[in-house]
Amino acid sequence: VKYLLMIYQNPLTWQGMPESEKRAFMSDAGAIVDELIASGEWVGGEALADPSTAASVRVRGGVPTVTDGPFAEAKEQVVGYCIVDCESQDRAVEIATRWPDARQWGMEVRPILSPDGVEM
Amino acid sequence: VTVEPGIERLLRDLAPQVLGAIVRRYGHFDAAEDAVQEALLAAATQWPAQGVPDHPKGWLITVASRRLTDQLRSDEARRRREAAVTLAEPAGPASHAAVTQDGERASGQDDTLVLLFLCCHPELTPPSQLALTLRAVAGLSTAEIASAFLVPEPTMAQRISRAKQRIAATGARFTMPPAGEWAGRLQVVLHVLYLMFNEGYAATSGEATSRPELTAEAIRLTRAVRELLPRDGEVAGLLALMLLTEARRPARSALGGALVPLAEQDRTRWNSGQIAEGLALVTGALNTAPLGAYQVQAAIAAVHAEAATAAETDWRQILGLYNLLERITPSPVVTLNRAVAVAMVDGPQAALGLLAILETDERMAGHHRLAAVRAHCHELAGDRAAAAAGYIGAARTATSLPERRYLEARAAGLAAGARDTGAAGRGPGAGATGRGLEAGAGAGAPACGAGAGAREAGAAGGA
């Protein structure tokens, strides 16, 4: 089963962090990615640009409204994601537990709907 | 390169035998595979023009051996240059000299089996065993396997190469496992073939149509194993189970890819040839071999196959078979399927009691199939509100899109039926007429094939 791991951060806190601490975060994350590539569980993932660069789009009655900023106003925002293909949700949660952002902010693990299925 | 279908089929059949022969002679799984690929490519380009040689397998083995020894020699030369050390004696491939001694004792067919044993090495995880078997034995390309499992090619390449490294690290030899390990190792091979079939069966309901048909590969490989072990009841049972399940494929999806439950399938569309072959296989196995889980699952699928309509299903016999299966391989998935049969034989209340026990099993609690079966029991008992709520809850926890759609449709059907009681006779609420909501393995189909717990909870278990 594939899982989306959403990485949450408070961008303001991140900006205030000392450079050395940021580097430690990134190298921790990089090490996990290398490990997942080696285990064959890594499917993909990217870091996102600052939430202030986001555009939220809604169409009502055929009329699009585009507003600057993320969809939900919150201190913590999605700043990146990984997709992993692993045996169980427990394993996906274990990966999220080790992700550096989980120590400071949080991670959200979501199973990805599979296009496969069997009749009942 | 387009190759004539005849030659392509020949190459596919010979590929694992040639790879087996080369690995047996030289070891070096990785390099051997490259060499065999080159030999197959040479054959694919030369044979159509020059004709198929008299001994195609010997031809391929010769060409692959030459490529491999050239490769090993140049690797060796490079290593020596790099190390800048003069060795007193060339340390060529150790098994090189053993080639002729080993001779051609083992037939190519045995090589296929040994290759299967190697790919399904117990040290590997099931996904690795599957990937390696598809690559080395079935001869699928890494890109094809990646597309079958919906992962990027580099992910699959990594999975396969790690599996090979793991095998090399365990020092596994390319030989038949010792007699004492044989049965356990065969069990792993059969489980991998079962998983391969399940993956394929679940995938055929999907929307991506370019995915290779893993069910066809699983059936082909299981047939090959059966040719080698014609008296093994579980091999026959597994092949029967696959055929009886695959036979339903033409009837199991509606337009747009929606899943059609077993009870609503148009049985005239089932593949009668596959059913006849599956019935003969399972009957033969049950009469001559010691009983096993695959045979019992095949027998359950056979009972369904023999019912001309869903209403004619012999649920009493199916319940008996589930009792038997639960004794052979107890698992919460088997219990769940037994509950479906209990609902049909002893009524929904008895089944709900059984489901309440399953709730306490953490492997099953929260699984959408458990919720779906509970909803079905409520529906049979005439409690539409509880059934609709149950289907919605089940849909919410499903991680398979077609299964979620199916469960949502059941809930919507109940709601519509409740509004329009006049149509109850033919509406979706008419569950009492024997609309069996079978949880995968119940129908002999994959157990929780697409569910989160698929591999751990598989009914056949392979344990």
Side-chain angles (χ1 to χ4, degrees):
Chain A
V1 184
K2 292 210 223 31
Y3 294 88
L4 173 67
L5 310 188
M6 284 186 283
I7 305 161
Y8 280 84
Q9 247 182 30
N10 180 331
L12 292 176
T13 323
W14 173 257
Q15 278 152 24
M17 266 164 53
E19 202 52 39
S20 60
E21 214 173 308
K22 285 186 187 170
R23 267 202 300 275
F25 257 66
M26 304 217 267
S27 82
D28 282 1
I32 298 172
V33 172
D34 288 345
E35 199 185 302
L36 294 172
I37 290 172
S39 69
E41 291 169 297
W42 179 257
V43 175
E46 306 279 354
L48 305 179
D50 191 86
S52 64
T53 61
S56 295
V57 181
R58 296 165 181 81
V59 181
R60 294 291 178 275
V63 183
T65 323
V66 181
T67 48
D68 290 341
F71 200 81
E73 294 288 342
K75 274 195 193 128
E76 291 176 348
Q77 293 290 342
V78 178
V79 297
Y81 72 93
C82 313
I83 295 175
V84 294
D85 181 22
C86 47
E87 272 298 271
S88 64
Q89 181 143 344
D90 286 349
R91 169 64 183 148
V93 168
E94 179 194 320
I95 295 166
T97 310
R98 292 174 51 208
W99 201 268
D101 298 80
R103 296 196 289 267
Q104 185 106 22
W105 300 285
M107 300 284 289
E108 186 173 329
V109 177
R110 295 279 294 269
I112 293 176
L113 270 184
S114 159
D116 300 342
V118 292
E119 76 266 35
M120 297 182 208
Chain B
V1 188
T2 33
V3 187
E4 293 172 36
I7 291 180
E8 194 185 328
R9 210 174 311 122
L10 179 64
L11 290 176
R12 275 170 67 79
D13 286 344
L14 290 177
Q17 299 178 28
V18 174
L19 179 58
I22 298 292
V23 178
R24 179 160 53 83
R25 287 179 179 188
Y26 303 98
H28 301 280
F29 198 149
D30 236 347
E33 214 192 342
D34 291 343
V36 171
Q37 284 306 315
E38 286 184 42
L40 292 170
L41 191 63
T45 48
Q46 292 174 27
W47 293 3
Q50 297 165 13
V52 176
D54 291 340
H55 300 288
K57 191 170 97 188
W59 190 99
L60 288 166
I61 291 175
T62 306
V63 173
S65 300
R66 208 177 295 141
R67 296 281 156 92
L68 182 63
T69 45
D70 287 352
Q71 183 61 44
L72 294 176
R73 239 179 251 129
S74 79
D75 286 353
E76 185 61 29
R78 198 193 58 228
R79 251 198 306 282
R80 263 181 287 168
R81 276 199 306 278
E82 285 168 2
V85 171
T86 313
L87 297 171
E89 225 150 316
S95 48
H96 201 165
V99 171
T100 42
Q101 290 157 23
D102 190 22
E104 292 298 328
R105 234 172 348 101
S107 72
Q109 303 247 302
D110 286 342
D111 279 336
T112 304
L113 194 58
V114 178
L115 193 60
L116 258 174
F117 276 122
L118 193 69
C119 292
C120 301
H121 197 279
E123 283 286 320
L124 302 177
T125 60
S128 299
Q129 291 168 338
L130 250 182
L132 196 56
T133 301
L134 284 167
R135 180 78 199 87
V137 190
L140 263 61
S141 72
T142 305
E144 285 173 323
I145 303 167
S147 121
F149 289 88
L150 300 174
V151 299
E153 197 176 333
T155 300
M156 192 47 77
Q158 196 55 242
R159 204 174 282 176
I160 292 170
S161 87
R162 281 266 291 201
K164 288 183 202 157
Q165 287 166 20
R166 185 99 195 97
I167 287 179
T170 60
R173 307 196 72 87
F174 191 76
T175 51
M176 277 294 185
E181 290 176 24
W182 165 271
R185 293 288 297 275
L186 179 62
Q187 193 64 35
V188 179
V189 169
L190 296 185
H191 187 53
V192 168
L193 294 172
Y194 174 83
L195 290 179
M196 187 186 296
F197 183 85
N198 278 1
E199 287 282 352
Y201 193 73
T204 45
S205 75
E207 281 146 14
T209 49
S210 63
R211 295 163 71 184
E213 291 186 6
L214 296 186
T215 51
E217 283 307 322
I219 289 173
R220 191 171 72 89
L221 295 179
T222 310
R223 269 192 207 287
V225 175
R226 174 157 161 80
E227 270 175 40
L228 304 174
L229 307 169
R231 277 187 297 275
D232 189 290
E234 281 296 84
V235 175
L238 178 58
L239 182 56
L241 174 62
M242 288 178 179
L243 290 166
L244 292 168
T245 308
E246 178 72 4
R248 299 190 199 125
R249 192 216 288 241
R252 66 188 283 253
S253 49
L255 266 123
L259 291 169
V260 181
L262 182 59
E264 290 168 25
Q265 289 177 11
D266 173 0
R267 297 180 179 219
T268 61
R269 297 180 66 198
W270 286 358
N271 184 319
S272 56
Q274 285 172 329
I275 288 178
E277 191 187 354
L279 288 175
L281 274 167
V282 68
T283 309
L286 287 170
N287 285 332
T288 57
L291 197 62
Y294 291 120
Q295 293 165 68
V296 177
Q297 288 183 84
I300 293 165
V303 176
H304 284 295
E306 284 173 323
T309 63
E312 289 167 65
T313 307
D314 186 349
W315 284 103
R316 205 161 285 280
Q317 198 183 344
I318 287 175
L319 180 56
L321 288 165
Y322 272 119
N323 286 331
L324 193 58
L325 186 60
E326 204 169 31
R327 274 205 294 280
I328 302 173
T329 50
S331 90
V333 175
V334 176
T335 310
L336 183 63
N337 289 320
R338 186 162 69 84
V340 176
V342 167
M344 301 309 286
V345 175
D346 299 324
Q349 292 307 334
L352 284 167
L354 194 55
L355 296 178
I357 299 168
L358 270 181
E359 288 291 341
T360 61
D361 190 321
E362 64 172 24
R363 289 171 295 177
M364 247 7 237
H367 199 291
H368 72 284
R369 285 190 182 269
L370 174 54
V373 173
R374 200 188 314 103
H376 174 63
C377 289
H378 286 308
E379 191 179 349
L380 287 179
D383 188 346
R384 284 158 168 263
Y391 284 127
I392 287 170
R396 208 172 279 150
T397 47
T399 57
S400 149
L401 187 56
E403 290 176 29
R404 187 172 85 171
R405 283 191 186 137
Y406 166 72
L407 293 163
E408 283 168 350
R410 288 298 284 263
L414 280 169
R419 278 196 302 274
D420 178 18
T421 45
R426 57 175 296 274
T433 57
R435 177 198 293 269
L437 182 99
E438 281 248 274
C448 290
R455 292 189 180 97
E456 308 91 83

